[in-house]
Amino acid sequence: EDKVVQSPLSLVVHEGDTVTLNCSYEVTNFRSLLWYKQEKKAPTFLFMLTSSGIEKKSGRLSSILDKKELFSILNITATQSGDSAIYLCAVNGGATNKLIFGTGTLLAVQP
Amino acid sequence: GAVVSQHPSWVICKSGTSVKIECRSLDFQATTMFWYRQFPKQSLMLMATSNEGSKATYEQGVEKDKFLINHASLTLSTLTVTSAHPEDSSFYICSASSGLYNEQFFGPGTRLTVL
């Protein structure tokens, strides 16, 4: 059965800290791994990763994929209160173009 | 960037009534649209996948007669919750994709409350 596992489930840090969120997966016919940020409404897209070892970066956020070990990490440096959200990892795989979501990591950034 | 809208953004209805939720891709043609449901403090659960002009493919455990999906055009898909009950109260989110292996863009979601 295809599955995506995220860790930790929740995390509390102080502003300025650096955090690393983890996502491991077991999916047949892997195509891509995506990271989303969800605040009060629907998820907003952060990154899509298809190749191993190539870091994608956007401001203070970066992500990398390891297709051999079947995991990805999302790094956030110099965290701010606006980074508080649920971070969702999803894998596009299986027989059809559908996303399999992990349970998410709830990040709380305190002043 | 690609924009997906949903309407309504929230709805409150009485038990036994039907509710229709619309999902539109505003600036691209969506060959495939997806419907998700999210309960509080849980992740997104895929309900069904719809391709324009064909019947939707439902995930295991999702009643197709209760959750009617129509994808009549390349920019519009609708989800109708028939005979809604309080346990159907949830956050319903659609996403749209322009191709089989292309990324999905999410709508803002619809919060359904059934009294």
Side-chain angles (χ1 to χ4, degrees), chain B residues 6-52:
Chain B
Q6 273 185 248
H7 178 80
S9 56
W10 59 270
V11 57
I12 301 172
C13 69
K14 292 182 178 180
S15 186
T17 60
S18 294
V19 175
K20 180 185 280 188
I21 302 170
E22 291 186 351
C23 176
R24 292 182 185 273
S25 58
L26 299 185
D27 52 2
F28 68 101
Q29 292 186 326
T31 54
T32 308
M33 288 186 170
F34 304 83
W35 287 95
Y36 296 85
R37 181 167 52 183
Q38 186 177 34
F39 292 107
K41 298 185 180 181
Q42 294 187 24
S43 192
L44 279 72
M45 296 289 294
L46 179 66
M47 299 175 67
T49 303
S50 76
N51 292 295
E52 185 264 337

Side-chain angles (χ1 to χ4, degrees), chain A residues 30-41:
Chain A
F30 173 91
R31 297 188 189 89
S32 61
L33 184 145
L34 300 95
W35 284 98
Y36 292 88
K37 176 182 181 183
Q38 185 176 26
E39 296 173 269
K40 292 183 179 177
K41 289 201 170 181

Side-chain angles (χ1 to χ4, degrees), chain A residues 6 29 31-32 34 36 38 40-45 48 86 88-90 92 94-104, chain B residues 6 9 32 34 36 38 41-46 49 59 91 93 95 97 99-109 111:
Chain A
Q6 290 184 247
N29 210 16
R31 297 188 189 89
S32 61
L34 300 95
Y36 292 88
Q38 185 176 26
K40 292 183 179 177
K41 289 201 170 181
T44 55
F45 172 79
M48 182 168 74
I86 297 173
L88 295 167
C89 171
N92 183 319
T96 59
N97 181 28
K98 65 180 185 180
L99 293 179
I100 303 154
F101 279 86
T103 51
Chain B
Q6 273 185 248
S9 56
T32 308
F34 304 83
Y36 296 85
Q38 186 177 34
K41 298 185 180 181
Q42 294 187 24
S43 192
L44 279 72
M45 296 289 294
L46 179 66
T49 303
E59 294 299 302
F91 192 46
I93 307 172
S95 71
S97 175
L100 184 59
Y101 303 118
N102 293 356
E103 63 189 276
Q104 296 179 27
F105 298 94
F106 285 85
R111 183 151 316 272

